[in-house]
Every structure is written in C-alpha cells, then in structure tokens.
Amino acid sequence: MFKTLTSPIRNTSGMARWILLAGLIITAAFVIMAIFAPWIAPYGFAQNSSDGMRFPKMGPPSAAHPLGTNDQFFDILSRVIWGARTEVTVVVLSVLFAVSVGMPLGLLSGFLGGWADRLMVFVMDVLYSFPSLLLAIVFAFLLRGPLGGGTFAAALALTAIYIPQYFRVVRSTTASAREATYVEAARAIGARNGTIMGRYLFGNVIQSVPVIGTLNAADAISTLAALGFIGLGIQPTDAAEWGYDLSRALDDAQSGIWWTTLFPGLAIVLLVTGLTLVGEGLNETVNPTLRKRRFRKVRMPANEPTSALVEGEV
Amino acid sequence: MSADRGSLPRYIVQRILLVIPMIWLALTIVFLLLRVAPGDPVSAAVGGKLDAAALASRRHSLGLDRPLIVQYWDYIKDVATFNFGQTISDNRPIIDVIRDNGGATLTLTLGAFLFALVFGIPLGLLAGRYRDTAADAVIRVFGVVSYAAPIFWTGLLAVILIAPTGWPTYDIASPVTKFEVHPVTHILLVDAALSGNADAFWDVLQHHVLPCLTLGLLLSGVFIRLVRVNLLHSLQGDYVEAARARGIAERHVIRRHAFRNALVPVITIIGLQVALTMSGAVLTERTFNWPGLGNQLVKYLVARDYSAVQGLVTFFAIVVVIVSVFIDILNAVIDPRVRY
Amino acid sequence: MSTPQDQPVVDARDLRIWYGSERGPVKAVDGVSFSIRKGEILGLVGESGCGKSTLGRGLLGLLPAGAEMDGQLHFQGTDLLSLPRKEMFARRGTELAMIFQEPLTRLNPLMRISAHFEETLKTHERGIGKTEIRHRALEVLRVMGIPPTRYRSYPHEFSGGMRQRLMIALALVLRPAFVVADEPTTALDVLVEAQIIRILHDLRREFDTSLLLITHNLGIIAEACDRVAVMYAGEIVEIGDARDVFADPQHPYTRELLRSTISLGTTGLNYIPGAPPDLVEPPSGCHFHPRCPDAMNICAGRHPLKRQMPNGVLTQCWAADLRHGLAGSATALTSEQTAPLTREEFSVADEA
C-alpha cells in the first residue's frame, strides 16, 4: 500500500518533479517552524517586553528584532514563527475534519443511490458553488458566539467549506464504480463485494485525495488569513495569526511602514505557494491526461536490407 | 436545419425559468444557516445598549419572536419584493445600503475582470503552447504566486509603494468629487461621466486603478492556470491530428483548432470565478477602504448585526445565481453542443 | 522499362519506424516493403500492436515526437523521406490523405462542416472562392450520400456512419492520389461498416485513388481489397493477391489468422496461443516462432528470407521454403535444423 501511495511521487519526472520537490521543501520548512516554534521563536507571540524593557512600537528591523515590531509592541519574527504553528494546526484540523465527514458521506451516498443520493449531491453542489470565503465568514460568524475565537472554532469554520470536495470525489468514484465494467468483471470472476470496494475504490480515491488535500490546505491558509484580516479569525490573545497582523498593518501602510506588512504576508505567500506546488506537482503525475509522454531519442543502425527478395534457388 | 436554430431560444428560456427555484433554494439555505446560530440576533447586535424590555420590544418589532416558518415565509415574500430587511445596528433599510454601495463593488469587479482577461488569457495560451519551456515555467510560477499572495497583502504593498507618489490609494474618490457628483445611477464612475465634469471622472478613474489591478492580478493567476490546462487538453485533441493530416499549417492548426477550442470552456470558468471575485472584492474593499458592499458586510459582521448580514448575504446569493445562469446561456451561444 | 503509367503510386522499401522508450528502442516497423499501383487497394492486416497503425501514420508523417523513420518511401517517383520535412508535409491533403478510426473526435465540434471544407480547400488553393468551395464540397458529399441540406450542420448532429462518410469526403475533396484508411470501420456497427467499405471500394472508380486499408478484420480484406499484406511484430510476413493469400496461405501466421475467423459455420473457437511479441526485444530468428505450430529449430536461430512462392505470393518462412523446395544449396538446411522446435507449454500466466 505504501507503494501505491508513493508511486505517483516516484513516477514523477522533469518539470513535475521539480515542482513537487520545491513545494515539499517549502512546506517542510514551515511545518518545522510550526512544530519547533517554542524553541525557535525568540519571544512569545503576545510578548511585548523582555527583561523589563518594553519593545519599541513599530520599530523597524534591527538586530534585536530582525523583522521589526508592530503597533502592539510584539516582535514580528516571533509572530511569524508562532503564526506558522497556528496556521498548520488549524489547517490540518480542518482538512482532517472535512475528510472524516466528507468521505464517509460520499461513500454512503454513492452506495445508496436513489433519492437520498440525489438530495445529498444537490446540497453539496449548492454548498460547493457558494463563494468559499463568504461561506467561511458565515460559519465563523455563527461559531464565534458559542465557541469563542480560538483555533478550534476557526478549524470548524473552515471544515464546512471543504466537505463537499471530498464528498464529491468519493461519491462519484463509488457511484460509478458500482456500475463500472471493471467491477462487473471483478464480480464475474467471483470477487466479493468487500474486495471490490477495497481494492478498486480505495486505490482510485487514494490517488485523488492527496491532490485535493494539499490544494485544500493551501486554500484553507488563505481563507484563515482572510478571516483574520476581516476580524473574524483567531483572537490575538489566543494565538498568533498572520492575517490578523496584516489587518493591524492597514493603518501603517499610508505612513510608509512596510515591515508590519511585508513579513507576515510573505509567510502566507510562501506557505500557500509551497502547498500549491505540492498539489500541482502531484496532479501532473497522477492525472494521466496531463502527463507528457517522454520520448527518448532513438538511433537507428544502418539499414541492412535483410528483407531483400531472394529468388528461389532450387 | 431549423432544429439547430430552434433549440437555442428554448435552452435560454429553460435556463431563465430555472432562476426562480435556484434563488429560492439559495434563500432557504441562507435563512437556515443564519437561524441555526445559537443565541439571539438582537442582543448580539445591541445587547449592551438596551435593557431587557427594550430588547424584547426590538425583537418583537423585527418579528423575531414569531414561529420560524412564519419568519421564513415573510423572508421569502420580502425578498420577492426587493425588501432585504432592516439593519439592527443603525436601522437602515438594507436595500438602501445596496443602492448606495453596490455601484462601487460593480465597477471594481468589472475593472478587475477586464484586467484579468486581458492579462491572463494570452499568458495562459502562451504557457500551454510552449509547454515545459522557461516561459511556461515563469508564467506558471506567476500564476501560482499571484493566487497564493493574499489580496490584502498585495494591496497593502501597492499602497506602501504608490502612496509616496501621490497617486490615490484610498477610497473611491476625493471628498470634493463625492460632493460634486450627483447620484443618478448610484454608480459613481457612471455618474461622474454623466455629470460632464472631466476632473471628477478622472479622479474616480484614478482611484479605480490600484484596487482593480490588485484584484485583477489575483484573478489573472487563476485564469492563467485554467487556460493553460485547457489548451494542453485541446492540443491533444484528435481533430488536431486530423487537421494536420489534411495539410493545414501548424500555425493555423494551433490557432484555429487548439486555441479556440481551449477557450470555449474558459467562458464557463470565468463565470465560476464570480464566487472568487466576490470574496476578493470583500477583501480588496477593506484594504483600500473602498465604499462597496464588501466593506459594508465586514462592518456589519464586526457589529454582529444578524439582520444586515442576512440581507447582504441574500443579495450576494441572488447575484451568484443570476450570473451563473447568464454564463450558462453564454456558453450555449458559443458551444453548439450544449444546446441539446 | 516501366512507363509512368505502370509506376506504382507508392513504393516503400525497408521502412523502419522506431521510437525510444526506457527499455530501449521500440521497433514498431522494422523493415517493411510494399508497393501500391494506381487505383489499387492494399489491405494491411495484423493483431493489435503489430505496428500497422504506426506504419499508416508514418506514411503521412504523423508520427509523435521522438519517433524516427528510415528507409525509402517513393511516392509518384519522389522519395518522400529524402525531402525536407516541410516538403513532405506539404503533400498532405493534396496527394496523401488519411481516414481515421474514430470519426466523432476527428472533427472539430465547434466548426460547421462547411467551415471544415473551407479550411481544407483554402489551405491548398489560396485564391479559391466560397462558391467554388461549396460546389466542390457538395459534389464530394453527394458521392458519399450526404444531402446538401446538411452542409452547414455541426459534427455532433450526424450519426457515426455519416460522420465517417464526412471524414472520407473531407479527405477526398482534394483528390489525393493515395489514401491511408486506419481502421475506418472499427468504431461502427456492421451494417454501416458494409456501406463504408462499399464506398471505399468504389473510390477507385470515381477518383482513381490508391488505398492502404489498415484493419484487423479479415472479412473486410476479403471483400474490398485487391492485395493484402499480413503484418506481425513490425514485419510483413506475407503479401500478395488477396484471393491467392486467402485460398492458400503460405505463412503459418496467416493460416492461423484465417482459422480463427468466426463465421456461421464455426463450431469451435480457434485461437493462436501466446501473446503478441515485445517490440523492444522480439523473439530471435523468426519473430513468430514461439507461437508457430510449424516451428523448426532453425526458426529460432535464423531469420527467414523473403521469397516468392509459386503462387506469386511473397513470404518469409522456413517451413514454406521447405514445402516448395526453395531452400537452395547456399542455405541448405540440415535435418537437425528442420527438426520440430521443442518448447515448453504455454502456462496460463503467459496468456494473461
């Protein structure tokens, strides 16, 4: 099974491979930042003084604060590193939730068929066609009340947006696999239903989920940052969040203060790009229609006319 | 054969008739979503300012104490008569909010779309045509990064860079212009043109540049990727090979068969970006303090004004439905296969 | 001395088409020679993967990137392979044409039929006017049995059989001297197939066209072709007059193919054991020897020579040579060499 999972990666070549590698490296860097934040970050994310000395307000990048400080006296480098932890946590949670809700629903729906299936497909389609940010806004708005402004609430808000994607992929594979000729053929040679589902469906789905998952994650980071920017994201006291930092930088922009904007935003760009590259790289290899057949040059030896006509010698 | 001509009008009528049920469904979902929230809209919005009795009477005046199904029916009826409700926090009819701020969002999104089309489509075709070359790599990286970069970040950077030059980076027009131009269509750009005041028009146009470019950049990233993929598919098309077999010149084959066929689904794709554009507009308006509906939405969200949020989201949902039907029709006009 | 009249329209000598893969060059076409006269229909038959489609495409220069073609391809006297590519491609449409297998996908769905014709004619005859185009198109459509009222329709508005006729019309509008038809009826049902074959057969009467008809269906060959070439593992193993080949097949592969054809009289299924050969490393000696019922020891060691059989058919087979006493003193075969080839039974795994 490990072989099936990694075969698309091992089969990459050319440009797809570079894309994939670049994306993986970038993403890995941020994941490391996220995991080791407490040890890497020079200060806490809500820390505004050290050794009794207050940090400067909106201080430009300096030796003490390589990325500068913002209007809440926080060190920006620390905010960026801690922010990585927030982003990664929220995104991983939300994708996991979405997968664990969307896939079983899809399986059920595809398997059941009939009106239940049609109804679910309809609802999911409508959800899917809604602008994702607006949907996130609505959910964040609703969940704010009961759940407060922490990472968990944010993750849940994002979950709902991504459920339809997993639902669709699993459902369509299930539904078409029910009818597919290869399943019929499998049944014809006596394979049990469980085997059919396991082998063929699982394999099919496994191929597309990593692509969807990584592109989802990229989108989730963007959406989370956007929510933070609007003010519906994670509260600054609960965790550091890059989007929120950018919302504070709005006023600074008019007066030429650039470091409060540049660095948190750069972090977002890099992480989203990294994830997107991974997703696109995987997509190029997994999706056979996009693959360009690699033709090798071939050199022909000189032509010996082996097929020359030999007159009948008797 | 007349069957061909006849089916297009029929298809159009079908699509238009579908608008009603689709809007109804969208409204139902919006209503359910917002009612699912625990807690109480009125106290959330103005809780601190009024005492319990005042809250109760406010609730009553807004009809929030009636059975859910009655509220639902009223809601549908109201929307049908273009009544999107009343805001709680500042007691304005939402239709007024829409009227006053819709124009700004409209010109912003149209300008952004225009830029994205002009910039994104040729680049996408280029990237697909010269696949796996350096040009392709650069264009694709650009496509990815422009989508990854949060629009509020690129906007802010633009402001930081441009503000020192004196070019307008804030709001839709200077206060003078806003004072001088009379609202006729409530679309400031159009009204400025109608007023004959060249300075005012130029002022509004100037203010449009930065926000439209920012939002357009985001959209173009998406267009580039989608156009490229479509072109790759169409280049592999069997009719491309058949055309070559008939001796059609390669240049012509690419242009007529590959490019053109690749662009057909692009119309649909562009239509699908309405959702993305709306989200982008909300963020762009916030960044540049653009007086559009997106900015209003955020304002009412922060004020926890359920009624306003509901009204505005309803309006957005309706717009999405109408645009998608329009795109379907456009698609049918362009692609003859769709009409059946 | 052959007069221009007798000169074959197409004369291919030792054609090779190889393309690269991770395991080495794939020898899709490996030393193929044939000729086609004016108005003659040559059928090219073989299993899937034997290289016949590649050959067809190679004749038109439609090979994918990375494929190399080698040999001589004389077309109306000129060796196309010695010309610069552009010149070779320039003859496409006007003198060489191709009819493909899947008519549905071969026409641009966004273009009307009239647009297809306009494009083709305008490319090759610059100054041609719209009325002239319409006239020529309708003429060839009439021959194909498509009414003029459908001239401005879109491809998806036609049935499969009509689409194939459209393709043929489009290929013929410029009166090419030579047409390659690559499995033109495989995607169509039997009744329509009969119509299309009839049309192709009548082409020579109407347009004097030479045709290479590629198919895996022997019935079509029997019905429509003057001569037939049997292809296996990138080589032509037997070529000759269709009636002669069918009546008295010389090569074991041809025999087995004929035997495995199903007709109303079939009571049991015959099939050729084993799987099609690997084109990267084909079997040594005669490529067919692993599956041949008449294989001898020499067949695994030495590639048979191409000879003409008494009935006029050309073939390359040691068993056939032996049968007709054609193995001369230079290539005398010892009794050891002519002993039947022993080989292990095909296990089921080989079949899969």
Side-chain angles (χ1 to χ4, degrees):
Chain A
M1 162 149 143
F2 185 66
K3 272 223 163 117
T4 333
L5 275 177
T6 56
S7 68
I9 301 179
R10 286 180 296 122
N11 280 340
T12 58
S13 61
M15 188 120 129
R17 177 159 259 188
W18 287 121
I19 294 177
L20 195 59
L21 277 179
L24 282 173
I25 292 176
I26 298 177
T27 312
F30 278 95
V31 170
I32 291 177
M33 253 204 274
I35 298 178
F36 296 106
W39 296 278
I40 305 180
Y43 307 105
F45 62 82
Q47 187 177 348
N48 55 14
S49 61
S50 160
D51 302 326
M53 279 262 291
R54 252 265 156 113
F55 291 159
K57 178 169 183 158
M58 298 206 285
S62 61
H65 303 278
L67 299 185
T69 58
N70 69 8
D71 66 338
Q72 291 178 303
F73 304 93
F74 299 148
D75 172 47
I76 293 182
L77 178 61
S78 309
R79 296 281 297 181
V80 169
I81 296 178
W82 282 103
R85 172 171 270 211
T86 314
E87 304 280 334
V88 170
T89 316
V90 171
V91 163
V92 166
L93 278 180
S94 71
V95 172
L96 275 179
F97 289 160
V99 167
S100 53
V101 171
M103 280 178 74
L105 274 183
L107 204 67
L108 193 67
S109 186
F111 207 60
L112 286 181
W115 64 265
D117 174 39
R118 273 206 290 273
L119 182 67
M120 281 218 264
V121 167
F122 194 51
V123 169
M124 289 294 176
D125 272 351
V126 173
L127 266 179
Y128 188 67
S129 60
F130 253 74
S132 66
L133 178 63
L134 293 184
L135 210 56
I137 288 177
V138 170
F139 279 109
F141 185 58
L142 294 175
L143 291 168
R144 249 313 173 68
L147 289 179
T151 30
F152 189 64
L156 272 188
L158 291 176
T159 303
I161 314 174
Y162 302 124
I163 291 179
Q165 295 197 4
Y166 298 102
F167 171 84
R168 280 171 143 209
V169 128
V170 174
R171 185 226 160 247
S172 73
T173 320
T174 315
S176 65
R178 263 191 336 157
E179 320 295 330
T181 41
Y182 60 74
V183 174
E184 264 188 65
R187 282 212 195 96
I189 62 172
R192 286 173 21 241
N193 265 334
T195 326
I196 300 177
M197 292 294 264
R199 211 91 158 322
Y200 298 112
L201 295 179
F202 191 62
N204 251 326
V205 168
I206 275 288
Q207 292 261 303
S208 35
V209 165
V211 175
I212 299 181
T214 36
L215 293 177
N216 250 174
D219 193 67
I221 307 239
S222 281
T223 314
L224 181 63
L227 283 178
F229 180 71
I230 292 178
L232 279 176
I234 298 179
Q235 294 293 61
T237 43
D238 284 320
E241 205 272 300
W242 297 329
Y244 175 79
D245 286 356
L246 285 174
S247 74
R248 310 282 320 188
L250 259 179
D251 302 317
D252 308 343
Q254 301 287 342
S255 30
I257 295 174
W258 52 271
W259 53 93
T260 47
T261 300
L262 183 66
F263 298 114
L266 207 56
I268 300 177
V269 175
L270 285 175
L271 183 51
V272 173
T273 305
L275 283 169
T276 310
L277 289 181
V278 172
E280 290 273 316
L282 278 180
N283 200 20
E284 282 237 340
T285 58
V286 161
N287 188 343
T289 53
L290 288 178
R291 246 181 271 159
K292 192 175 178 192
R293 293 222 320 246
R294 305 249 154 239
F295 280 117
R296 310 286 166 96
K297 284 298 278 178
V298 60
R299 295 175 78 243
M300 288 180 159
N303 201 351
E304 316 126 22
T306 52
S307 47
L309 188 54
V310 178
E311 296 301 343
E313 317 166 84
V314 181
Chain B
M1 286 192 51
S2 58
D4 174 31
R5 303 331 130 94
S7 57
L8 181 57
R10 195 182 50 175
Y11 184 81
I12 294 180
V13 169
Q14 274 176 356
R15 287 339 248 131
I16 293 182
L17 285 180
L18 263 181
V19 167
I20 314 284
M22 279 172 76
I23 290 184
W24 171 78
L25 180 74
L27 294 185
T28 310
I29 293 184
V30 171
F31 181 82
L32 284 174
L33 273 180
L34 286 172
R35 285 298 180 275
V36 148
D40 152 34
V42 177
S43 31
V46 296
K49 303 184 207 155
L50 305 172
D51 63 24
L55 279 178
S57 82
R58 203 60 182 300
R59 230 175 273 135
H60 180 75
S61 69
L62 285 170
L64 289 171
D65 51 358
R66 295 169 302 157
L68 217 59
I69 197 77
V70 177
Q71 291 189 43
Y72 176 64
W73 179 237
D74 272 351
Y75 168 64
I76 301 283
K77 257 191 349 199
D78 286 342
V79 173
T81 55
F82 296 112
N83 176 1
F84 291 92
Q86 199 95 343
T87 71
I88 300 181
S89 44
D90 55 4
N91 231 344
R92 286 181 71 195
I94 293 173
I95 190 75
D96 282 357
V97 175
I98 294 175
R99 183 200 59 197
D100 291 339
N101 301 96
T105 308
L106 185 66
T107 48
L108 170 66
T109 45
L110 285 181
F113 246 99
L114 199 66
F115 174 72
L117 285 176
V118 165
F119 190 60
I121 292 189
L123 280 184
L125 288 176
L126 216 74
R129 169 84 178 90
Y130 298 107
R131 181 198 183 143
D132 284 345
T133 60
D136 180 28
V138 167
I139 292 176
R140 288 179 72 189
V141 167
F142 169 74
V144 170
V145 172
S146 68
Y147 190 69
I151 197 167
F152 40 96
W153 184 65
T154 35
L156 278 174
L157 285 178
V159 170
I160 292 174
L161 282 173
I162 304 290
T165 68
W167 187 276
T169 60
Y170 194 76
D171 209 338
I172 191 173
S174 68
V176 174
T177 310
K178 284 203 260 194
F179 180 70
E180 286 183 357
V181 175
H182 294 298
V184 174
T185 61
H186 291 279
I187 304 175
L188 193 60
L189 191 65
V190 173
D191 287 341
L194 288 176
S195 73
N197 185 340
D199 285 333
F201 182 71
W202 175 237
D203 183 42
V204 177
L205 205 60
Q206 268 192 316
H207 279 82
H208 269 77
V209 168
L210 224 50
C212 287
L213 270 178
T214 313
L215 185 55
L217 208 67
L218 171 75
L219 289 176
S220 67
V222 175
F223 287 174
I224 287 176
R225 283 203 282 170
L226 292 172
V227 167
R228 179 185 175 275
V229 166
N230 270 300
L231 183 61
L232 290 180
H233 266 131
S234 86
L235 275 173
Q236 288 172 348
D238 284 343
Y239 49 83
V240 171
E241 188 182 28
R244 285 199 189 107
R246 291 200 296 277
I248 318 277
E250 187 69 14
R251 223 184 46 242
H252 188 94
V253 167
I254 303 258
R255 232 190 22 233
R256 186 100 193 257
H257 293 270
F259 277 9
R260 194 190 280 195
N261 285 50
L263 287 181
V264 164
V266 167
I267 305 292
T268 327
I269 288 161
I270 289 176
L272 293 176
Q273 301 318 312
V274 171
L276 174 69
T277 315
M278 280 182 141
S279 320
V282 170
L283 297 170
T284 314
E285 289 179 14
R286 194 90 170 90
T287 312
F288 291 94
N289 203 31
W290 192 260
L293 285 178
N295 219 349
Q296 292 296 313
L297 179 66
V298 174
K299 174 181 121 184
Y300 288 118
L301 277 171
V302 168
R304 306 203 58 73
D305 188 334
Y306 268 74
S307 183
V309 170
Q310 176 182 283
L312 286 174
V313 172
T314 306
F315 180 68
F316 286 155
I318 294 179
V319 168
V320 169
V321 167
I322 293 183
V323 171
S324 75
V325 168
F326 178 67
I327 294 296
D328 279 346
I329 294 178
L330 200 62
N331 204 22
V333 167
I334 294 177
D335 185 349
R337 287 172 294 179
V338 174
R339 298 174 203 164
Y340 283 116
Chain C
M1 208 177 63
S2 58
T3 67
Q5 199 61 12
D6 302 339
Q7 190 183 59
V9 172
V10 178
D11 189 9
R13 309 248 180 90
D14 294 320
L15 280 182
R16 290 188 299 172
I17 302 176
W18 291 7
Y19 52 92
S21 75
E22 294 96 42
R23 293 170 42 224
V26 178
K27 302 170 193 162
V29 176
D30 198 17
V32 158
S33 305
F34 62 88
S35 65
I36 309 181
R37 290 195 301 274
K38 201 171 181 183
E40 183 177 48
I41 302 182
L42 173 67
L44 182 59
V45 70
E47 289 170 315
S48 315
C50 69
K52 53 191 201 296
S53 245
T54 311
L55 177 60
R57 277 194 164 64
L59 295 178
L60 271 250
L62 284 175
L63 297 169
E68 287 290 329
M69 185 153 151
D70 176 285
Q72 294 174 35
L73 180 57
H74 296 278
F75 179 70
Q76 290 178 329
T78 326
D79 181 7
L80 293 181
L81 297 181
S82 65
L83 293 176
R85 289 182 85 108
K86 271 205 146 165
E87 285 204 37
M88 183 203 183
F89 294 167
R91 285 159 206 258
R92 288 205 286 232
T94 44
E95 305 186 45
L96 301 155
M98 185 143 177
I99 297 168
F100 294 89
Q101 178 176 343
E102 275 279 358
L104 169 57
T105 50
R106 296 290 174 175
L107 294 165
N108 189 331
L110 298 182
M111 281 168 61
R112 297 179 199 272
I113 303 304
S114 50
H116 279 90
F117 277 101
E118 279 156 24
E119 181 190 42
T120 309
L121 283 165
K122 279 222 179 98
T123 308
H124 296 282
E125 296 178 32
R126 284 292 153 91
I128 194 169
K130 247 195 165 161
T131 21
E132 171 72 18
I133 293 178
R134 193 185 148 86
H135 181 78
R136 301 250 291 260
L138 289 182
E139 173 65 33
V140 75
L141 286 174
R142 183 188 59 81
V143 173
M144 292 300 142
I146 296 177
T149 46
R150 307 296 298 274
Y151 183 55
R152 293 197 28 90
S153 303
Y154 286 96
H156 64 274
E157 295 173 20
F158 292 91
S159 69
M162 290 194 88
R163 260 182 244 132
Q164 191 57 294
R165 286 193 244 170
L166 275 175
M167 284 234 45
I168 298 174
L170 208 46
L172 292 176
V173 73
L174 290 161
R175 310 289 164 116
F178 175 53
V179 174
V180 175
D182 185 8
E183 313 241 21
T185 55
T186 308
L188 305 169
D189 65 65
V190 208
L191 293 174
V192 176
E193 178 179 71
Q195 291 173 345
I196 300 294
I197 295 301
R198 175 102 308 207
I199 288 174
L200 290 176
H201 189 251
D202 292 344
L203 277 183
R204 61 155 138 235
R205 205 175 51 222
E206 285 280 346
F207 301 116
D208 233 355
T209 328
S210 308
L211 185 69
L212 177 67
L213 181 51
I214 302 176
T215 177
H216 58 263
N217 184 332
L218 288 164
I220 295 180
I221 305 282
E223 183 176 329
C225 299
D226 303 314
R227 292 166 60 231
V228 63
V230 180
M231 199 159 168
Y232 186 81
E235 300 175 325
I236 291 185
V237 296
E238 184 160 359
I239 178 169
D241 191 285
R243 279 167 306 178
D244 294 335
V245 170
F246 275 58
D248 185 16
Q250 298 301 313
H251 195 282
Y253 179 60
T254 318
R255 264 207 320 267
E256 296 301 310
L257 269 187
L258 286 166
R259 268 191 353 134
S260 52
T261 314
I262 299 178
S263 70
L264 283 176
T266 304
T267 44
L269 278 179
N270 290 313
Y271 61 93
I272 310 175
D278 176 13
L279 292 174
V280 178
E281 280 180 41
S284 57
C286 170
H287 297 329
F288 188 56
H289 83 255
R291 304 164 77 189
C292 179
D294 298 346
M296 304 181 286
N297 281 336
I298 187 171
C299 301
R302 265 207 274 165
H303 194 282
L305 304 170
K306 195 190 240 183
R307 294 188 208 274
Q308 185 160 37
M309 299 290 123
N311 63 356
V313 159
L314 274 91
T315 189
Q316 48 187 46
C317 174
W318 293 122
D321 291 349
L322 219 56
R323 217 171 34 243
H324 299 286
L326 290 172
S329 50
T331 52
L333 302 174
T334 68
S335 58
E336 211 265 284
Q337 288 172 314
T338 56
L341 182 66
T342 47
R343 48 178 178 226
E344 64 259 12
E345 278 301 310
F346 286 111
S347 57
V348 178
D350 283 358
E351 305 263 352

